[in-house]
Amino acid sequence: MLSDIICAELGDPCLLIVHDNGSMQTGDEAKVRSFFADLPYITALASDSPDADIADYFDIVIPADNADKYAENLFKDKTAFQIREITNCFVTARNGSTNDVLDAESRSFYRLIALITGGELDE
């Protein structure tokens, strides 16, 4: 049950990958929707044939094969700062408007450039 994740101790990952073999069920839909909407990190469903209703809870759907390599590829050669900026853009996209997403991406871009050029970061 997808609702079982709510009770799990997840820690502070930057990416949560949930594997589905095609038999996953939602459980308490309202609690699951609220839980996933409030997560401060990227969520991915690893499935070769994802159910549309289940996939809707996740930021992205990835193939089940080599799902463990997905995080490695997504965050390869990234600093902790860059990972936080990428994560922030995904989280904003989950709950925000188009303008919110564009603002988050623009802010992240300029913060990354400031870091590279030695400029001041807008905290």
Side-chain angles (χ1 to χ4, degrees), residues 38-54:
D38 293 338
L39 290 176
Y41 40 79
I42 302 167
T43 61
L45 175 63
S47 177
D48 291 326
S49 55
D51 177 272
D53 292 333
I54 298 294

Side-chain angles (χ1 to χ4, degrees), residues 77-116:
D77 301 327
K78 305 290 189 296
T79 65
F81 177 79
Q82 292 168 322
I83 291 170
R84 282 191 305 273
E85 293 300 318
I86 292 167
T87 301
N88 180 56
C89 288
F90 271 91
V91 170
T92 301
R94 179 187 312 136
N95 298 314
S97 68
T98 301
N99 284 339
D100 293 336
V101 175
L102 292 173
D103 288 345
E105 289 176 343
S106 178
R107 185 170 188 267
S108 290
F109 173 78
Y110 285 107
R111 287 172 50 88
L112 291 168
I113 293 300
L115 188 67
I116 291 169

